[in-house]
Amino acid sequence: IPPSEDYHIRLLPKHVHFETDTMIFGDTVVMLAYDADQTIIRIENQHIAEAQRAQFELLWNASSSMHNV
C-alpha cells in the first residue's frame, strides 16, 4: 500500500490479531464479528464510545507505522 496523506496505517505486533472490527462514530460503537454467526452489535452510549476511543488510542500508540517497518 503506497503512502498517502489521506490515511495512516499502523501495525500491531504479529502475535496480536483480531477476528472483529470496531467502528466508533459520535456516541456510537459498532462491533462486527466475522465468524459463522456474523454478529453485529451497535451501542449508542457516550461513555462506551469514549472508552473505545481511549482503547483505540492505546493500540495506535503501541503500534508502528507501516512505512517504518
Side-chain angles (χ1 to χ4, degrees):
I1 300 173
S4 173
E5 293 182 18
D6 295 329
Y7 58 84
H8 299 278
I9 298 172
R10 309 231 356 139
L11 301 173
L12 289 168
K14 290 183 180 183
H15 69 278
V16 177
H17 64 279
F18 300 98
E19 300 294 329
T20 62
D21 276 330
T22 302
M23 295 180 276
I24 310 162
F25 48 95
D27 291 342
T28 302
V29 177
V30 176
M31 294 181 236
L32 302 103
Y34 299 109
D35 55 15
D37 295 327
Q38 297 182 352
T39 303
I40 300 173
I41 300 170
R42 179 179 172 164
I43 302 169
E44 293 184 37
N45 181 285
Q46 175 187 356
H47 300 292
I48 293 173
E50 289 171 358
Q52 288 295 306
R53 278 190 193 87
Q55 289 179 22
F56 171 85
E57 290 297 328
L58 286 170
L59 290 170
W60 184 266
N61 292 330
S63 64
S64 58
S65 173
M66 181 175 159
H67 300 292
N68 293 339
V69 177

Short mmCIF file of all heavy atoms in Angstrom, two decimals:
data_model
loop_
_atom_site.label_atom_id
_atom_site.label_comp_id
_atom_site.label_asym_id
_atom_site.label_seq_id
_atom_site.Cartn_x
_atom_site.Cartn_y
_atom_site.Cartn_z
N ILE A 1 0.86 -1.18 0.00
CA ILE A 1 0.00 0.00 0.00
C ILE A 1 0.90 1.23 0.00
O ILE A 1 1.73 1.39 0.90
CB ILE A 1 -0.92 0.01 1.22
CG1 ILE A 1 -1.81 -1.24 1.21
CG2 ILE A 1 -1.76 1.27 1.26
CD1 ILE A 1 -2.64 -1.41 2.45
N PRO A 2 0.73 2.08 -0.97
CA PRO A 2 1.59 3.27 -1.05
C PRO A 2 1.25 4.29 0.04
O PRO A 2 0.11 4.38 0.47
CB PRO A 2 1.29 3.83 -2.43
CG PRO A 2 -0.07 3.33 -2.76
CD PRO A 2 -0.20 2.00 -2.08
N PRO A 3 2.24 5.05 0.48
CA PRO A 3 1.99 6.11 1.47
C PRO A 3 1.01 7.15 0.91
O PRO A 3 0.97 7.38 -0.29
CB PRO A 3 3.35 6.73 1.71
CG PRO A 3 4.34 5.76 1.17
CD PRO A 3 3.64 4.98 0.12
N SER A 4 0.25 7.75 1.78
CA SER A 4 -0.69 8.79 1.37
C SER A 4 -0.96 9.72 2.54
O SER A 4 -0.90 9.31 3.70
CB SER A 4 -2.01 8.16 0.91
OG SER A 4 -2.97 9.16 0.66
N GLU A 5 -1.26 10.96 2.23
CA GLU A 5 -1.66 11.91 3.27
C GLU A 5 -3.13 11.72 3.63
O GLU A 5 -3.61 12.28 4.61
CB GLU A 5 -1.40 13.33 2.81
CG GLU A 5 0.08 13.64 2.68
CD GLU A 5 0.34 15.08 2.28
OE1 GLU A 5 -0.57 15.92 2.44
OE2 GLU A 5 1.46 15.36 1.82
N ASP A 6 -3.86 10.90 2.83
CA ASP A 6 -5.29 10.70 3.06
C ASP A 6 -5.58 9.68 4.15
O ASP A 6 -6.70 9.61 4.65
CB ASP A 6 -5.98 10.24 1.78
CG ASP A 6 -5.92 11.32 0.69
OD1 ASP A 6 -5.92 12.51 1.05
OD2 ASP A 6 -5.89 10.95 -0.49
N TYR A 7 -4.61 8.85 4.50
CA TYR A 7 -4.82 7.83 5.52
C TYR A 7 -3.49 7.46 6.16
O TYR A 7 -2.43 7.75 5.63
CB TYR A 7 -5.48 6.58 4.93
CG TYR A 7 -4.69 5.96 3.80
CD1 TYR A 7 -3.63 5.09 4.04
CD2 TYR A 7 -4.99 6.25 2.47
CE1 TYR A 7 -2.90 4.54 3.01
CE2 TYR A 7 -4.26 5.70 1.44
CZ TYR A 7 -3.23 4.84 1.71
OH TYR A 7 -2.49 4.30 0.69
N HIS A 8 -3.57 6.84 7.32
CA HIS A 8 -2.39 6.36 8.03
C HIS A 8 -2.65 4.90 8.41
O HIS A 8 -3.73 4.57 8.86
CB HIS A 8 -2.13 7.18 9.30
CG HIS A 8 -1.87 8.61 9.01
ND1 HIS A 8 -0.64 9.08 8.61
CD2 HIS A 8 -2.68 9.69 9.04
CE1 HIS A 8 -0.72 10.38 8.43
NE2 HIS A 8 -1.96 10.78 8.67
N ILE A 9 -1.67 4.07 8.23
CA ILE A 9 -1.77 2.65 8.57
C ILE A 9 -0.72 2.34 9.61
O ILE A 9 0.44 2.73 9.47
CB ILE A 9 -1.56 1.75 7.33
CG1 ILE A 9 -2.65 2.04 6.29
CG2 ILE A 9 -1.56 0.29 7.73
CD1 ILE A 9 -2.42 1.35 4.97
N ARG A 10 -1.13 1.65 10.67
CA ARG A 10 -0.20 1.24 11.71
C ARG A 10 -0.36 -0.26 11.92
O ARG A 10 -1.43 -0.80 11.70
CB ARG A 10 -0.48 2.00 13.00
CG ARG A 10 -0.56 3.48 12.75
CD ARG A 10 0.19 4.43 13.52
NE ARG A 10 1.00 4.08 14.62
CZ ARG A 10 2.18 4.62 14.83
NH1 ARG A 10 2.67 5.48 13.97
NH2 ARG A 10 2.87 4.32 15.90
N LEU A 11 0.70 -0.91 12.35
CA LEU A 11 0.70 -2.36 12.54
C LEU A 11 1.00 -2.70 13.99
O LEU A 11 1.92 -2.16 14.59
CB LEU A 11 1.75 -3.01 11.64
CG LEU A 11 1.58 -2.76 10.14
CD1 LEU A 11 2.78 -3.32 9.38
CD2 LEU A 11 0.29 -3.37 9.64
N LEU A 12 0.21 -3.62 14.51
CA LEU A 12 0.47 -4.16 15.84
C LEU A 12 1.44 -5.33 15.70
O LEU A 12 1.65 -5.83 14.59
CB LEU A 12 -0.84 -4.64 16.47
CG LEU A 12 -1.80 -3.51 16.87
CD1 LEU A 12 -3.17 -4.07 17.19
CD2 LEU A 12 -1.25 -2.75 18.06
N PRO A 13 2.03 -5.79 16.78
CA PRO A 13 2.92 -6.95 16.69
C PRO A 13 2.20 -8.14 16.07
O PRO A 13 0.97 -8.27 16.17
CB PRO A 13 3.28 -7.23 18.16
CG PRO A 13 3.07 -5.93 18.86
CD PRO A 13 1.94 -5.25 18.14
N LYS A 14 2.96 -9.01 15.42
CA LYS A 14 2.37 -10.15 14.69
C LYS A 14 1.52 -11.05 15.57
O LYS A 14 0.58 -11.66 15.09
CB LYS A 14 3.46 -10.95 14.01
CG LYS A 14 4.09 -10.22 12.85
CD LYS A 14 5.12 -11.06 12.15
CE LYS A 14 5.71 -10.28 11.00
NZ LYS A 14 6.67 -11.08 10.23
N HIS A 15 1.85 -11.14 16.85
CA HIS A 15 1.09 -12.04 17.72
C HIS A 15 -0.27 -11.46 18.13
O HIS A 15 -1.08 -12.15 18.72
CB HIS A 15 1.90 -12.41 18.96
CG HIS A 15 2.11 -11.26 19.91
ND1 HIS A 15 3.10 -10.32 19.71
CD2 HIS A 15 1.44 -10.89 21.02
CE1 HIS A 15 3.04 -9.42 20.68
NE2 HIS A 15 2.04 -9.73 21.48
N VAL A 16 -0.53 -10.20 17.80
CA VAL A 16 -1.81 -9.56 18.13
C VAL A 16 -2.69 -9.55 16.88
O VAL A 16 -2.31 -9.00 15.86
CB VAL A 16 -1.60 -8.11 18.62
CG1 VAL A 16 -2.93 -7.44 18.90
CG2 VAL A 16 -0.69 -8.08 19.84
N HIS A 17 -3.83 -10.20 16.97
CA HIS A 17 -4.76 -10.19 15.84
C HIS A 17 -6.19 -10.21 16.37
O HIS A 17 -6.45 -10.64 17.49
CB HIS A 17 -4.49 -11.36 14.90
CG HIS A 17 -4.72 -12.69 15.53
ND1 HIS A 17 -3.80 -13.31 16.33
CD2 HIS A 17 -5.79 -13.53 15.49
CE1 HIS A 17 -4.28 -14.46 16.76
NE2 HIS A 17 -5.49 -14.61 16.27
N PHE A 18 -7.08 -9.71 15.57
CA PHE A 18 -8.49 -9.63 15.93
C PHE A 18 -9.32 -10.29 14.85
O PHE A 18 -9.02 -10.16 13.66
CB PHE A 18 -8.94 -8.17 16.07
CG PHE A 18 -8.17 -7.40 17.11
CD1 PHE A 18 -7.11 -6.58 16.76
CD2 PHE A 18 -8.52 -7.50 18.44
CE1 PHE A 18 -6.41 -5.86 17.72
CE2 PHE A 18 -7.82 -6.79 19.41
CZ PHE A 18 -6.77 -5.97 19.05
N GLU A 19 -10.35 -10.98 15.24
CA GLU A 19 -11.30 -11.57 14.30
C GLU A 19 -12.56 -10.70 14.24
O GLU A 19 -13.63 -11.16 13.88
CB GLU A 19 -11.67 -13.00 14.73
CG GLU A 19 -10.50 -13.96 14.81
CD GLU A 19 -9.88 -14.25 13.45
OE1 GLU A 19 -10.61 -14.22 12.44
OE2 GLU A 19 -8.66 -14.49 13.40
N THR A 20 -12.40 -9.43 14.61
CA THR A 20 -13.52 -8.49 14.65
C THR A 20 -13.06 -7.14 14.14
O THR A 20 -11.87 -6.87 14.02
CB THR A 20 -14.03 -8.31 16.09
OG1 THR A 20 -12.97 -7.76 16.89
CG2 THR A 20 -14.50 -9.62 16.70
N ASP A 21 -14.02 -6.30 13.86
CA ASP A 21 -13.78 -4.89 13.57
C ASP A 21 -14.61 -4.06 14.52
O ASP A 21 -15.70 -4.49 14.94
CB ASP A 21 -14.18 -4.52 12.13
CG ASP A 21 -13.10 -4.84 11.13
OD1 ASP A 21 -11.91 -4.79 11.49
OD2 ASP A 21 -13.44 -5.12 9.97
N THR A 22 -14.11 -2.89 14.85
CA THR A 22 -14.86 -1.95 15.68
C THR A 22 -14.85 -0.60 15.00
O THR A 22 -13.80 -0.13 14.56
CB THR A 22 -14.22 -1.83 17.08
OG1 THR A 22 -14.17 -3.12 17.68
CG2 THR A 22 -15.00 -0.88 17.97
N MET A 23 -16.02 0.00 14.90
CA MET A 23 -16.15 1.35 14.34
C MET A 23 -16.72 2.25 15.43
O MET A 23 -17.63 1.85 16.14
CB MET A 23 -17.08 1.33 13.13
CG MET A 23 -16.53 0.54 11.96
SD MET A 23 -17.66 0.56 10.56
CE MET A 23 -18.74 -0.77 11.03
N ILE A 24 -16.14 3.43 15.54
CA ILE A 24 -16.58 4.40 16.55
C ILE A 24 -16.90 5.70 15.83
O ILE A 24 -16.05 6.24 15.12
CB ILE A 24 -15.48 4.65 17.60
CG1 ILE A 24 -14.95 3.33 18.14
CG2 ILE A 24 -15.99 5.54 18.72
CD1 ILE A 24 -13.60 3.45 18.82
N PHE A 25 -18.12 6.17 15.99
CA PHE A 25 -18.50 7.45 15.40
C PHE A 25 -19.54 8.10 16.29
O PHE A 25 -20.48 7.47 16.73
CB PHE A 25 -19.02 7.28 13.97
CG PHE A 25 -20.04 6.20 13.79
CD1 PHE A 25 -21.39 6.49 13.82
CD2 PHE A 25 -19.65 4.88 13.58
CE1 PHE A 25 -22.34 5.49 13.65
CE2 PHE A 25 -20.58 3.88 13.41
CZ PHE A 25 -21.93 4.18 13.46
N GLY A 26 -19.28 9.36 16.61
CA GLY A 26 -20.16 10.06 17.54
C GLY A 26 -20.22 9.31 18.87
O GLY A 26 -19.19 8.96 19.44
N ASP A 27 -21.42 9.06 19.33
CA ASP A 27 -21.62 8.29 20.57
C ASP A 27 -21.98 6.84 20.27
O ASP A 27 -22.58 6.16 21.09
CB ASP A 27 -22.75 8.93 21.40
CG ASP A 27 -22.36 10.28 21.97
OD1 ASP A 27 -21.15 10.57 22.03
OD2 ASP A 27 -23.26 11.04 22.36
N THR A 28 -21.61 6.36 19.09
CA THR A 28 -21.98 5.01 18.65
C THR A 28 -20.75 4.15 18.46
O THR A 28 -19.75 4.59 17.90
CB THR A 28 -22.77 5.08 17.32
OG1 THR A 28 -23.94 5.88 17.52
CG2 THR A 28 -23.20 3.70 16.85
N VAL A 29 -20.85 2.91 18.93
CA VAL A 29 -19.82 1.89 18.71
C VAL A 29 -20.49 0.73 17.99
O VAL A 29 -21.55 0.27 18.42
CB VAL A 29 -19.21 1.40 20.04
CG1 VAL A 29 -18.20 0.29 19.80
CG2 VAL A 29 -18.58 2.55 20.80
N VAL A 30 -19.89 0.29 16.90
CA VAL A 30 -20.39 -0.88 16.18
C VAL A 30 -19.28 -1.91 16.16
O VAL A 30 -18.14 -1.61 15.80
CB VAL A 30 -20.81 -0.53 14.73
CG1 VAL A 30 -21.24 -1.78 13.97
CG2 VAL A 30 -21.93 0.50 14.74
N MET A 31 -19.61 -3.13 16.58
CA MET A 31 -18.65 -4.24 16.58
C MET A 31 -19.16 -5.31 15.62
O MET A 31 -20.34 -5.67 15.64
CB MET A 31 -18.49 -4.81 17.97
CG MET A 31 -17.85 -3.85 18.94
SD MET A 31 -17.68 -4.61 20.56
CE MET A 31 -18.55 -3.42 21.53
N LEU A 32 -18.25 -5.80 14.77
CA LEU A 32 -18.60 -6.85 13.81
C LEU A 32 -17.70 -8.05 14.05
O LEU A 32 -16.48 -7.90 14.14
CB LEU A 32 -18.40 -6.34 12.38
CG LEU A 32 -19.20 -5.09 12.02
CD1 LEU A 32 -18.31 -3.89 12.04
CD2 LEU A 32 -19.84 -5.27 10.69
N ALA A 33 -18.30 -9.24 14.11
CA ALA A 33 -17.54 -10.48 14.25
C ALA A 33 -17.66 -11.26 12.94
O ALA A 33 -18.78 -11.47 12.44
CB ALA A 33 -18.07 -11.32 15.41
N TYR A 34 -16.53 -11.63 12.37
CA TYR A 34 -16.51 -12.33 11.09
C TYR A 34 -16.45 -13.83 11.29
O TYR A 34 -15.56 -14.51 10.80
CB TYR A 34 -15.34 -11.84 10.24
CG TYR A 34 -15.43 -10.36 9.96
CD1 TYR A 34 -14.56 -9.48 10.56
CD2 TYR A 34 -16.40 -9.87 9.12
CE1 TYR A 34 -14.64 -8.11 10.30
CE2 TYR A 34 -16.50 -8.51 8.86
CZ TYR A 34 -15.62 -7.64 9.45
OH TYR A 34 -15.71 -6.29 9.21
N ASP A 35 -17.40 -14.35 12.01
CA ASP A 35 -17.47 -15.79 12.23
C ASP A 35 -18.73 -16.32 11.55
O ASP A 35 -19.39 -15.61 10.81
CB ASP A 35 -17.47 -16.10 13.73
CG ASP A 35 -18.57 -15.38 14.50
OD1 ASP A 35 -19.50 -14.85 13.86
OD2 ASP A 35 -18.48 -15.34 15.73
N ALA A 36 -19.06 -17.57 11.80
CA ALA A 36 -20.23 -18.19 11.16
C ALA A 36 -21.52 -17.45 11.51
O ALA A 36 -22.45 -17.40 10.71
CB ALA A 36 -20.33 -19.65 11.56
N ASP A 37 -21.59 -16.87 12.72
CA ASP A 37 -22.80 -16.15 13.13
C ASP A 37 -22.88 -14.73 12.57
O ASP A 37 -23.95 -14.13 12.56
CB ASP A 37 -22.87 -16.07 14.66
CG ASP A 37 -23.03 -17.43 15.30
OD1 ASP A 37 -23.68 -18.30 14.69
OD2 ASP A 37 -22.49 -17.62 16.41
N GLN A 38 -21.76 -14.18 12.14
CA GLN A 38 -21.68 -12.81 11.61
C GLN A 38 -22.42 -11.83 12.52
O GLN A 38 -23.35 -11.14 12.12
CB GLN A 38 -22.20 -12.75 10.18
CG GLN A 38 -21.38 -13.57 9.22
CD GLN A 38 -21.87 -13.48 7.80
OE1 GLN A 38 -22.91 -12.91 7.51
NE2 GLN A 38 -21.10 -14.04 6.90
N THR A 39 -21.98 -11.75 13.75
CA THR A 39 -22.62 -10.93 14.77
C THR A 39 -22.29 -9.45 14.56
O THR A 39 -21.15 -9.09 14.29
CB THR A 39 -22.15 -11.36 16.16
OG1 THR A 39 -22.44 -12.75 16.32
CG2 THR A 39 -22.83 -10.57 17.26
N ILE A 40 -23.30 -8.61 14.70
CA ILE A 40 -23.13 -7.16 14.67
C ILE A 40 -23.77 -6.59 15.93
O ILE A 40 -24.92 -6.90 16.23
CB ILE A 40 -23.79 -6.53 13.43
CG1 ILE A 40 -23.17 -7.09 12.15
CG2 ILE A 40 -23.66 -5.00 13.48
CD1 ILE A 40 -23.89 -6.65 10.89
N ILE A 41 -23.01 -5.77 16.66
CA ILE A 41 -23.52 -5.13 17.87
C ILE A 41 -23.37 -3.63 17.70
O ILE A 41 -22.30 -3.14 17.35
CB ILE A 41 -22.73 -5.59 19.11
CG1 ILE A 41 -22.84 -7.09 19.29
CG2 ILE A 41 -23.19 -4.83 20.36
CD1 ILE A 41 -21.91 -7.65 20.34
N ARG A 42 -24.46 -2.91 17.95
CA ARG A 42 -24.43 -1.45 17.88
C ARG A 42 -24.82 -0.91 19.26
O ARG A 42 -25.86 -1.25 19.80
CB ARG A 42 -25.41 -0.93 16.83
CG ARG A 42 -25.44 0.57 16.75
CD ARG A 42 -26.39 1.04 15.70
NE ARG A 42 -26.55 2.47 15.77
CZ ARG A 42 -27.06 3.21 14.83
NH1 ARG A 42 -27.48 2.65 13.72
NH2 ARG A 42 -27.17 4.51 14.98
N ILE A 43 -23.95 -0.06 19.80
CA ILE A 43 -24.19 0.53 21.11
C ILE A 43 -24.14 2.04 20.97
O ILE A 43 -23.17 2.58 20.44
CB ILE A 43 -23.11 0.08 22.13
CG1 ILE A 43 -23.09 -1.44 22.25
CG2 ILE A 43 -23.34 0.74 23.48
CD1 ILE A 43 -21.90 -1.97 23.02
N GLU A 44 -25.17 2.70 21.42
CA GLU A 44 -25.20 4.16 21.43
C GLU A 44 -25.10 4.62 22.87
O GLU A 44 -26.08 4.58 23.62
CB GLU A 44 -26.48 4.67 20.77
CG GLU A 44 -26.54 4.37 19.29
CD GLU A 44 -27.76 4.95 18.60
OE1 GLU A 44 -28.18 6.07 18.98
OE2 GLU A 44 -28.28 4.28 17.72
N ASN A 45 -23.88 5.01 23.27
CA ASN A 45 -23.64 5.44 24.64
C ASN A 45 -22.36 6.26 24.65
O ASN A 45 -21.30 5.76 24.23
CB ASN A 45 -23.53 4.22 25.56
CG ASN A 45 -23.30 4.61 26.99
OD1 ASN A 45 -22.19 5.02 27.36
ND2 ASN A 45 -24.33 4.46 27.81
N GLN A 46 -22.45 7.48 25.13
CA GLN A 46 -21.29 8.38 25.12
C GLN A 46 -20.11 7.80 25.88
O GLN A 46 -18.97 7.85 25.40
CB GLN A 46 -21.68 9.73 25.73
CG GLN A 46 -20.51 10.68 25.87
CD GLN A 46 -20.86 11.95 26.63
OE1 GLN A 46 -22.01 12.17 26.99
NE2 GLN A 46 -19.86 12.78 26.87
N HIS A 47 -20.34 7.22 27.05
CA HIS A 47 -19.24 6.73 27.88
C HIS A 47 -18.57 5.50 27.26
O HIS A 47 -17.33 5.38 27.30
CB HIS A 47 -19.74 6.42 29.29
CG HIS A 47 -20.31 7.62 29.97
ND1 HIS A 47 -19.55 8.69 30.35
CD2 HIS A 47 -21.59 7.92 30.29
CE1 HIS A 47 -20.33 9.61 30.90
NE2 HIS A 47 -21.58 9.17 30.88
N ILE A 48 -19.35 4.63 26.66
CA ILE A 48 -18.77 3.46 25.99
C ILE A 48 -17.98 3.90 24.77
O ILE A 48 -16.88 3.40 24.52
CB ILE A 48 -19.86 2.43 25.64
CG1 ILE A 48 -20.44 1.84 26.94
CG2 ILE A 48 -19.32 1.34 24.72
CD1 ILE A 48 -21.63 0.94 26.76
N ALA A 49 -18.51 4.86 24.01
CA ALA A 49 -17.78 5.37 22.84
C ALA A 49 -16.46 6.01 23.26
O ALA A 49 -15.42 5.78 22.63
CB ALA A 49 -18.65 6.37 22.07
N GLU A 50 -16.47 6.78 24.33
CA GLU A 50 -15.23 7.40 24.82
C GLU A 50 -14.23 6.35 25.28
O GLU A 50 -13.03 6.47 25.04
CB GLU A 50 -15.55 8.38 25.95
CG GLU A 50 -16.25 9.64 25.47
CD GLU A 50 -16.76 10.52 26.61
OE1 GLU A 50 -16.61 10.15 27.80
OE2 GLU A 50 -17.32 11.59 26.30
N ALA A 51 -14.71 5.30 25.94
CA ALA A 51 -13.82 4.22 26.39
C ALA A 51 -13.20 3.50 25.19
O ALA A 51 -12.01 3.18 25.20
CB ALA A 51 -14.57 3.24 27.28
N GLN A 52 -14.00 3.25 24.15
CA GLN A 52 -13.47 2.59 22.96
C GLN A 52 -12.46 3.47 22.24
O GLN A 52 -11.46 2.97 21.73
CB GLN A 52 -14.62 2.21 22.02
CG GLN A 52 -15.46 1.06 22.53
CD GLN A 52 -14.67 -0.22 22.60
OE1 GLN A 52 -14.08 -0.67 21.63
NE2 GLN A 52 -14.65 -0.83 23.77
N ARG A 53 -12.70 4.77 22.21
CA ARG A 53 -11.72 5.69 21.61
C ARG A 53 -10.40 5.65 22.39
O ARG A 53 -9.33 5.66 21.80
CB ARG A 53 -12.27 7.12 21.59
CG ARG A 53 -13.17 7.41 20.46
CD ARG A 53 -13.48 8.91 20.34
NE ARG A 53 -14.57 9.07 19.42
CZ ARG A 53 -15.86 9.02 19.75
NH1 ARG A 53 -16.23 8.86 21.00
NH2 ARG A 53 -16.79 9.17 18.83
N ALA A 54 -10.49 5.60 23.71
CA ALA A 54 -9.28 5.55 24.54
C ALA A 54 -8.52 4.25 24.26
O ALA A 54 -7.29 4.26 24.16
CB ALA A 54 -9.64 5.65 26.02
N GLN A 55 -9.24 3.14 24.12
CA GLN A 55 -8.58 1.87 23.80
C GLN A 55 -7.93 1.93 22.43
O GLN A 55 -6.82 1.42 22.23
CB GLN A 55 -9.58 0.72 23.87
CG GLN A 55 -10.00 0.40 25.28
CD GLN A 55 -11.00 -0.73 25.34
OE1 GLN A 55 -11.10 -1.54 24.44
NE2 GLN A 55 -11.76 -0.77 26.43
N PHE A 56 -8.61 2.56 21.47
CA PHE A 56 -8.02 2.74 20.14
C PHE A 56 -6.72 3.51 20.23
O PHE A 56 -5.71 3.13 19.62
CB PHE A 56 -9.01 3.46 19.21
CG PHE A 56 -8.38 3.85 17.90
CD1 PHE A 56 -8.32 2.96 16.85
CD2 PHE A 56 -7.80 5.11 17.73
CE1 PHE A 56 -7.71 3.31 15.65
CE2 PHE A 56 -7.20 5.48 16.54
CZ PHE A 56 -7.16 4.56 15.50
N GLU A 57 -6.71 4.60 20.98
CA GLU A 57 -5.51 5.42 21.12
C GLU A 57 -4.36 4.63 21.74
O GLU A 57 -3.21 4.77 21.33
CB GLU A 57 -5.79 6.68 21.94
CG GLU A 57 -6.68 7.69 21.22
CD GLU A 57 -6.06 8.25 19.95
OE1 GLU A 57 -4.81 8.38 19.88
OE2 GLU A 57 -6.82 8.55 19.01
N LEU A 58 -4.66 3.79 22.73
CA LEU A 58 -3.63 2.94 23.33
C LEU A 58 -3.02 2.01 22.29
O LEU A 58 -1.80 1.87 22.20
CB LEU A 58 -4.21 2.13 24.49
CG LEU A 58 -4.48 2.91 25.77
CD1 LEU A 58 -5.27 2.04 26.75
CD2 LEU A 58 -3.18 3.37 26.41
N LEU A 59 -3.87 1.36 21.51
CA LEU A 59 -3.38 0.45 20.47
C LEU A 59 -2.62 1.22 19.40
O LEU A 59 -1.57 0.77 18.91
CB LEU A 59 -4.53 -0.33 19.85
CG LEU A 59 -5.16 -1.39 20.74
CD1 LEU A 59 -6.44 -1.92 20.12
CD2 LEU A 59 -4.18 -2.52 21.01
N TRP A 60 -3.12 2.37 19.01
CA TRP A 60 -2.46 3.19 17.97
C TRP A 60 -1.05 3.57 18.44
O TRP A 60 -0.08 3.46 17.70
CB TRP A 60 -3.30 4.43 17.69
CG TRP A 60 -2.76 5.28 16.58
CD1 TRP A 60 -1.94 6.35 16.71
CD2 TRP A 60 -2.98 5.10 15.18
NE1 TRP A 60 -1.65 6.88 15.47
CE2 TRP A 60 -2.27 6.13 14.51
CE3 TRP A 60 -3.72 4.19 14.42
CZ2 TRP A 60 -2.28 6.27 13.13
CZ3 TRP A 60 -3.72 4.33 13.04
CH2 TRP A 60 -3.01 5.35 12.41
N ASN A 61 -0.95 4.01 19.68
CA ASN A 61 0.35 4.43 20.21
C ASN A 61 1.30 3.25 20.43
O ASN A 61 2.52 3.44 20.44
CB ASN A 61 0.16 5.23 21.50
CG ASN A 61 -0.51 6.56 21.24
OD1 ASN A 61 -0.37 7.15 20.17
ND2 ASN A 61 -1.28 7.02 22.20
N ALA A 62 0.76 2.05 20.61
CA ALA A 62 1.60 0.86 20.80
C ALA A 62 2.01 0.24 19.46
O ALA A 62 2.86 -0.65 19.44
CB ALA A 62 0.84 -0.18 21.62
N SER A 63 1.44 0.72 18.38
CA SER A 63 1.73 0.15 17.07
C SER A 63 2.86 0.92 16.38
O SER A 63 3.32 1.94 16.87
CB SER A 63 0.47 0.19 16.20
OG SER A 63 0.08 1.54 15.96
N SER A 64 3.29 0.39 15.24
CA SER A 64 4.34 1.06 14.47
C SER A 64 3.82 1.40 13.09
O SER A 64 2.94 0.72 12.56
CB SER A 64 5.58 0.16 14.36
OG SER A 64 5.25 -1.05 13.76
N SER A 65 4.35 2.45 12.52
CA SER A 65 3.94 2.89 11.20
C SER A 65 4.26 1.80 10.18
O SER A 65 5.34 1.20 10.21
CB SER A 65 4.64 4.18 10.83
OG SER A 65 4.37 4.51 9.47
N MET A 66 3.33 1.55 9.28
CA MET A 66 3.53 0.52 8.26
C MET A 66 4.74 0.86 7.39
O MET A 66 5.46 -0.01 6.93
CB MET A 66 2.30 0.40 7.38
CG MET A 66 2.39 -0.64 6.32
SD MET A 66 0.84 -0.77 5.46
CE MET A 66 1.40 -1.53 3.96
N HIS A 67 5.00 2.13 7.19
CA HIS A 67 6.09 2.54 6.30
C HIS A 67 7.43 2.64 7.02
O HIS A 67 8.44 2.93 6.39
CB HIS A 67 5.71 3.84 5.61
CG HIS A 67 4.46 3.70 4.80
ND1 HIS A 67 4.39 2.92 3.67
CD2 HIS A 67 3.20 4.17 4.99
CE1 HIS A 67 3.17 2.93 3.19
NE2 HIS A 67 2.42 3.68 3.98
N ASN A 68 7.43 2.39 8.31
CA ASN A 68 8.69 2.34 9.07
C ASN A 68 9.12 0.92 9.38
O ASN A 68 10.10 0.71 10.04
CB ASN A 68 8.55 3.12 10.38
CG ASN A 68 8.39 4.59 10.13
OD1 ASN A 68 8.75 5.11 9.08
ND2 ASN A 68 7.84 5.30 11.10
N VAL A 69 8.33 -0.05 8.93
CA VAL A 69 8.62 -1.46 9.25
C VAL A 69 9.61 -2.02 8.27
O VAL A 69 9.67 -1.72 7.14
CB VAL A 69 7.31 -2.29 9.25
CG1 VAL A 69 7.62 -3.75 9.49
CG2 VAL A 69 6.36 -1.75 10.28
#
